[in-house]
Amino acid sequence: MKRRVRDVMTRDVVMVSVDSTLVAAARQMREHDIGDVFVLEDGRLFGVLTDRDIVVRAVARGLSPDVVTAGDICSRKLVTVSADDGEWYAVELMRLHTVRRLPVLDRERPVGVLSLGDLAIDLDRDSALATISAAPPNT
């Protein structure tokens, strides 16, 4: 059976605006036990901000997380998929572009995210990545 991205994606994505400070974005990550948020401008996907982006692109450079915004440092060259795309198409995109997650869009508006963990759980439930991905977060 051909599975679609919609069948395995995570629907509950956390979003912040381009002008949200890094502190505000980091609080959202902490509150939701996640490592990334979508950055929106006028309801459209502008970029993706990860906890690593905050550390490497801002804090390590001495930039103030109270001043710098999500839009200032988020990744903007994104590879995206549609909810109707095939699961294996998404796998190939991840391989080709060496990315761990793909925003799922419906006409430029985010409707979910597909991660390596989502795919591991669906395609190889007994793999180490699937087991780790399915486990509750360490707090």
Side-chain angles (χ1 to χ4, degrees), residues 27-82:
R27 284 185 180 135
Q28 288 295 314
M29 290 179 199
R30 181 186 66 205
E31 182 178 318
H32 296 279
D33 289 318
I34 56 175
D36 61 273
V37 293
F38 285 1
V39 180
L40 301 184
E41 182 177 58
D42 299 324
R44 290 189 165 80
L45 185 62
F46 181 84
V48 174
L49 179 70
T50 67
D51 47 6
R52 180 168 163 59
D53 293 332
I54 293 171
V55 172
V56 173
R57 295 181 182 172
V59 175
R61 291 183 178 165
L63 303 176
S64 172
D66 290 313
V67 176
V68 176
T69 67
D72 291 336
I73 67 160
C74 67
S75 297
R76 295 188 57 197
K77 273 189 134 178
L78 303 176
V79 180
T80 65
V81 290
S82 160

Side-chain angles (χ1 to χ4, degrees), residues 2 13 18 20 25 29 52 59 62 79 85-86 90 95 108 114 118-119 124 126 132 136 138-139:
K2 279 189 161 183
V13 292
V18 291
S20 295
M29 290 179 199
R52 180 168 163 59
V59 175
V79 180
D85 286 333
R95 281 186 181 137
E108 297 183 46
L114 182 67
D118 296 329
L119 291 167
D124 187 4
D126 295 326
I132 293 166
N138 294 330
T139 52

